[in-house]
Amino acid sequence: MNVGEVAALAGVTVRTLHHYDRIGLLSPSGRTAAGYRRYSAADLGRLHQVLLYRELGFPLEEVATLLDDPSADPAEHLRRQHRLLRDRLDRTAAMVAAVEKEMEARHMGIDLTPEEKFELFGDWLPEEYEAEAQERWGETEAWAQSQARTRAYTKDDWVRVQAEGEDVEARMAAALQAGVAPDSPQAMDLAEEARQQISRNFYDCSPEMHAGIGRTYVEDERFTAHYERRAAGLAQWVSTAVQANAARQGA
Amino acid sequence: MNVGEVAALAGVTVRTLHHYDRIGLLSPSGRTAAGYRRYSAADLGRLHQVLLYRELGFPLEEVATLLDDPSADPAEHLRRQHRLLRDRLDRTAAMVAAVEKEMEARHMGIDLTPEEKFELFGDWLPEEYEAEAQERWGETEAWAQSQARTRAYTKDDWVRVQAEGEDVEARMAAALQAGVAPDSPQAMDLAEEARQQISRNFYDCSPEMHAGIGRTYVEDERFTAHYERRAAGLAQWVSTAVQANAARQGA
DNA sequence: TGCACAGCCTGACGTCGCGTCAGGGTCAAG
DNA sequence: CTTGACCCTGACGCGACGTCAGGCTGTGCA
């Protein structure tokens, strides 16, 4: 295959293949009389490995040493790539969950501490520092500032949206106090209403997402407090209702 | 907070923050009399957004225009980030699956075509080109070359490993021909034996992974052919047994 | 047979996102 | 009042290509 064909197949530019040739990472196994690069099937296999390792963030020089190591058989590479990809999958899933948590926090007017926002990036988070930073940035100042910013970004119908949320929450509280079981159809209908309201006004919220959010209502104390201020036991009640509703949708 | 503290919290270097300051992407909201950069809570919030978009592959200049766009409120950013992260999650999951398929292909001495290997990278794959390339690189030459490479990488106990696989496959074929149902405990035990053999000799193969692989036994004709050469209906039988076994492990 | 035009070649310089000194001021602790 | 950790501003370097420039090659078709 010519360089252009390989480039199209692999989704890279010709320049990239030139580059890989010059640095000795991937030299085509042949050339035509006119000097055209000719790539064999084996070359394509190597390119595939190169692109996988590159995608995983390895510098090209390291990719070369990995692939040229005669003691590492292909299965070894596959195992390593599999492990690295699974790590990345976990990390991405964690980031998705973090963003979802932030969405919900914003929805409810709660602001996360900087530590929480960054915990996915820091990787290591020195323990002793944590307490100190918590004190400096916790609750008071950061909270107030963020609230101010929220107001600044607010649009005209913000009030209406908040009222809608209020309405559902109030009816949930009433149901709780009337003794309605959180896994009853009536409770699930309220949960579903809440979910659709979020989807309409904030972000597209699938039943699975909603279930995940429901869990944080009891796991994260600030979310818990938000509901408990309205009625004792409401956080747990809503959490259960939301999850029951999600299970119902899934079935 | 001073630049060093912010750097530690966010998991970046001081140099990076200097850089973001100079290019105007993130300028600290204050300075001390001595010229020290002082970051506010709002600055940290912006940094968080910057790092998320950076992680998602945006060039810094584009990140700046995104964040400085006055018409885009924070919720808008969260929605976009959520969508992009989910895309990435799907893509990574697809890559994991592809690597698992390759592991299994190698295990069974089957070589995937270059098109299959690259389908995750190409993104678009021109239709007309596909058939042509298939012809050039399909079955014959690529297959033979790859087999040769596989032999070259082979280690001393390769023979033993192959024999083990042979043994299990032969017993599966015997069970099929003896009329053993593929979802019977006996069949599931054979499937489990196969799974543990893969784990020992090739790569760590969870029941879920094994179930996924089992599906390809009937979905990919080359895997199917591998089993059908031994006995008619064996591919479907093994696939069912493997999935039944995975379900049993999961319960 | 000639020509147009897509595709290939080799330099060579530019870019982005920082890493890495160099040379010098700042600050809290002892 | 010194020591050591931390901060500042240049300025150069680097990895992984992008992007011309200037020129050769290969092929369909008039």
Side-chain angles (χ1 to χ4, degrees), chain B residues 165-228:
Chain B
E166 268 291 308
D167 178 50
V168 175
E169 274 187 35
R171 279 153 57 210
M172 283 174 160
L176 164 66
Q177 281 161 349
V180 174
D183 55 355
S184 67
Q186 188 187 338
M188 289 193 269
D189 288 347
L190 281 169
E192 176 62 14
E193 203 176 323
R195 188 182 71 80
Q196 291 188 6
Q197 187 216 320
I198 295 174
S199 289
R200 270 201 320 280
N201 294 324
F202 295 95
Y203 50 89
D204 190 31
C205 180
S206 70
E208 295 78 30
M209 257 181 84
H210 202 204
I213 288 165
R215 245 172 280 126
T216 73
Y217 290 163
V218 292
E219 285 171 2
D220 187 311
E221 54 174 26
R222 287 155 312 168
F223 287 80
T224 307
H226 172 87
Y227 283 109
E228 295 297 313

Side-chain angles (χ1 to χ4, degrees), chain A residues 40-54:
Chain A
S40 71
D43 295 336
L44 287 190
R46 181 167 173 114
L47 176 57
H48 181 229
Q49 299 295 330
V50 167
L51 294 182
L52 251 176
Y53 277 125
R54 184 188 72 165

Side-chain angles (χ1 to χ4, degrees), chain B residues 148-168:
Chain B
R149 265 191 303 148
T150 305
R151 302 305 177 224
Y153 279 117
T154 286
K155 293 188 174 173
D156 285 354
D157 47 8
W158 176 249
V159 176
R160 176 186 57 76
V161 166
Q162 287 295 79
E164 275 184 32
E166 268 291 308
D167 178 50
V168 175

Side-chain angles (χ1 to χ4, degrees), chain B residues 33-216:
Chain B
Y36 282 28
R37 290 173 178 80
R38 305 244 71 205
Y39 291 84
S40 71
D43 295 336
L44 287 190
R46 182 169 173 112
L47 176 57
H48 182 228
Q49 299 294 331
V50 167
L51 294 183
L52 251 175
Y53 277 125
R54 183 187 73 166
E55 174 86 22
L56 286 166
F58 285 82
L60 297 185
E61 195 177 332
E62 209 166 325
V63 172
T65 66
L66 278 175
L67 293 181
D68 292 338
D69 178 4
S71 73
D73 64 319
E76 176 77 23
H77 291 305
L78 285 173
R79 270 196 297 273
R80 181 174 14 228
Q81 287 162 355
H82 188 251
R83 186 170 42 75
L84 292 166
L85 281 169
R86 288 209 57 93
D87 289 352
R88 181 179 195 154
L89 196 65
D90 292 347
R91 210 173 153 250
T92 307
M95 289 179 69
V96 169
V99 169
E100 287 174 359
K101 184 174 180 181
E102 258 199 79
M103 283 170 152
E104 183 62 6
R106 173 162 295 278
H107 175 197
M108 284 170 49
I110 295 172
D111 203 40
L112 303 175
T113 68
E115 284 71 29
E116 282 176 299
K117 288 187 181 179
F118 284 110
E119 60 189 350
L120 292 170
F121 294 103
D123 295 335
W124 45 291
L125 283 188
E127 290 297 303
E128 41 146 13
Y129 176 69
E130 202 151 289
E132 182 201 355
Q134 183 81 7
E135 183 192 0
R136 260 200 250 179
W137 296 98
E139 307 304 327
T140 56
E141 186 199 6
W143 173 288
Q145 281 197 18
S146 160
Q147 290 295 75
R149 265 191 303 148
T150 305
R151 302 305 177 224
Y153 279 117
T154 286
K155 293 188 174 173
D156 285 354
D157 47 8
W158 176 249
V159 176
R160 176 186 57 76
V161 166
Q162 287 295 79
E164 275 184 32
E166 268 291 308
D167 178 50
V168 175
E169 274 187 35
R171 279 153 57 210
M172 283 174 160
L176 164 66
Q177 281 161 349
V180 174
D183 55 355
S184 67
Q186 188 187 338
M188 289 193 269
D189 288 347
L190 281 169
E192 176 62 14
E193 203 176 323
R195 188 182 71 80
Q196 291 188 6
Q197 187 216 320
I198 295 174
S199 289
R200 270 201 320 280
N201 294 324
F202 295 95
Y203 50 89
D204 190 31
C205 180
S206 70
E208 295 78 30
M209 257 181 84
H210 202 204
I213 288 165
R215 245 172 280 126
T216 73

Side-chain angles (χ1 to χ4, degrees), chain A residues 68-145:
Chain A
D68 292 338
D69 178 5
S71 73
D73 63 318
E76 175 77 23
H77 291 304
L78 285 173
R79 270 194 298 273
R80 180 175 14 228
Q81 287 162 354
H82 187 252
R83 186 170 42 75
L84 292 166
L85 281 169
R86 288 208 58 92
D87 289 351
R88 181 179 196 156
L89 196 65
D90 292 347
R91 204 164 162 259
T92 307
M95 290 178 69
V96 169
V99 170
E100 287 174 359
K101 185 175 179 180
E102 259 199 78
M103 284 172 152
E104 184 60 8
R106 172 164 296 279
H107 173 199
M108 283 170 50
I110 296 174
D111 203 39
L112 304 174
T113 67
E115 285 71 30
E116 283 176 299
K117 287 188 180 176
F118 284 111
E119 60 190 350
L120 291 170
F121 294 104
D123 295 335
W124 44 291
L125 283 187
E127 291 298 304
E128 42 145 13
Y129 176 68
E130 202 151 289
E132 181 201 356
Q134 183 81 8
E135 183 193 359
R136 259 199 252 181
W137 295 99
E139 308 303 326
T140 57
E141 186 199 4
W143 173 288
Q145 283 199 18

